[in-house]
């Protein structure tokens, strides 16, 4: 099945053989059509905006990145796993957080591309990026229960930040994604 990138149709083979195509962004206005979504090229996952009672957002500093890269909790779906269950599992695995109230769930999916040099490194080179359902949850517990030193840690440290600060601390290839996610939940933030 062909898919559309910047108004032109491409086959999976054409994309896989052309580095410059793989680096490009998809036209978000065309991603709503079932005929143009290249879902098979994106790893399915969930992302979680965790807020506290002060409406500050949880971010963790990536343990595998030597720069000052922060992100919100996220992760892939296990085979046959329901998105809602994946959200709770990923949140607990990455942060130790279990006591939350789900405030909202995104109406659709959000996509992002990894930079080309990372596409080969992650997920065996099978995916261009991720397709994610995002959740907004309120943390109901005490900060003392937050634990990023998990069995398989993804974060070296964590902090609460405002929605206005988040774009400044995120890796460049996720900035558009985070702007869109914050906009999706703006009525709660």
């Amino acid at each position: 099945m062909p898919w559309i990138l910047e108004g032109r149709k491409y086959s999976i083979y054409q994309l896989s053989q052309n580095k410059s195509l793989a680096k490009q962004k998809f036209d978000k206005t065309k991603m709503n059509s079932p005929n143009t979504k290249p879902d098979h090229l994106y790893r399915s996952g969930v992302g979680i905006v965790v807020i506290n009672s002060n409406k500050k957002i949880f971010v963790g500093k990536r343990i595998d990145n030597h720069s000052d890269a922060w992100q919100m909790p996220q992760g892939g779906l296990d085979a046959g796993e329901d998105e809602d269950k994946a959200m709770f599992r990923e949140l607990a695995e990455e942060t130790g957080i279990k006591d939350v109230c789900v405030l909202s769930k995104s109406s659709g999916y959000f996509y992002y591309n990894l930079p080309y040099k990372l596409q080969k490194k992650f997920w065996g080179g099978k995916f261009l990026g991720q397709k994610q359902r995002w959740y907004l949850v309120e943390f109901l517990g005490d900060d003392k229960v937050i634990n990023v030193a998990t069995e398989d840690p993804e974060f070296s440290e964590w902090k609460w930040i405002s929605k206005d600060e988040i774009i400044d601390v995120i890796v460049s290839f996720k900035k558009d994604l985070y702007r869109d996610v914050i906009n999706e939940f703006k009525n709660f933030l």
Side-chain angles (χ1 to χ4, degrees):
M1 173 179 69
W3 51 275
I4 298 173
L5 176 66
E6 296 181 351
R8 293 186 55 198
K9 289 184 180 182
Y10 295 93
S11 70
I12 298 168
Y13 177 78
Q14 286 172 313
L15 178 69
S16 67
Q17 298 301 308
N18 189 325
K19 291 180 184 179
S20 66
L21 288 178
K23 290 180 184 179
Q24 295 180 42
K25 293 183 179 179
F26 292 102
D27 182 344
K28 290 181 185 177
T29 62
K30 296 180 179 162
M31 292 302 287
N32 294 328
S33 168
N35 295 328
T36 60
K37 285 186 180 178
D39 284 350
H40 54 283
L41 296 175
Y42 288 84
R43 179 178 179 244
S44 293
V46 295
I48 309 123
V49 180
V50 182
I51 61 171
N52 63 15
S53 59
N54 297 320
K55 302 209 185 284
K56 296 283 189 169
I57 299 171
F58 175 97
V59 291
K61 187 174 182 183
R62 294 287 309 180
I63 204 166
D64 60 357
N65 192 321
H66 299 295
S67 69
D68 199 29
W70 297 77
Q71 73 176 42
M72 292 184 276
Q74 66 171 48
L77 300 179
D78 290 340
E81 185 176 31
D82 173 80
E83 290 173 342
D84 294 345
K85 289 180 182 174
M87 184 274 297
F88 284 107
R89 177 185 54 76
E90 284 292 338
L91 187 58
E93 284 178 4
E94 293 184 7
T95 68
I97 294 174
K98 296 178 183 171
D99 193 10
V100 296
C101 173
V102 177
L103 301 175
S104 188
K105 181 163 83 169
S106 64
S107 56
Y109 292 101
F110 291 89
Y111 294 76
Y112 75 86
N113 286 1
L114 286 170
Y116 182 73
K117 66 182 179 178
L118 295 178
Q119 289 173 6
K120 299 284 186 205
K121 180 179 176 183
F122 291 104
W123 316 304
K126 291 174 24 181
F127 303 107
L128 297 177
Q130 291 200 71
K131 164 193 165 184
Q132 299 173 319
R133 170 85 61 197
W134 276 81
Y135 293 78
L136 173 68
V137 302
E138 183 176 2
F139 175 52
L140 303 174
D142 188 284
D143 284 1
K144 294 175 192 169
V145 303
I146 298 174
N147 177 21
V148 295
T150 60
E151 186 176 325
D152 293 314
E154 297 206 17
F155 303 129
S156 59
E157 56 186 283
W158 66 273
K159 62 184 176 181
W160 296 106
I161 63 174
S162 73
K163 69 176 182 174
D164 298 326
E165 297 172 280
I166 199 158
I167 301 305
D168 295 332
V169 301
I170 302 306
V171 293
S172 62
F173 65 90
K174 288 187 182 177
K175 287 186 187 289
D176 288 341
L177 166 73
Y178 275 40
R179 280 187 194 98
D180 293 343
V181 168
I182 295 300
N183 189 52
E184 172 89 8
F185 299 128
K186 66 184 173 196
N187 293 336
F188 296 93
L189 301 173

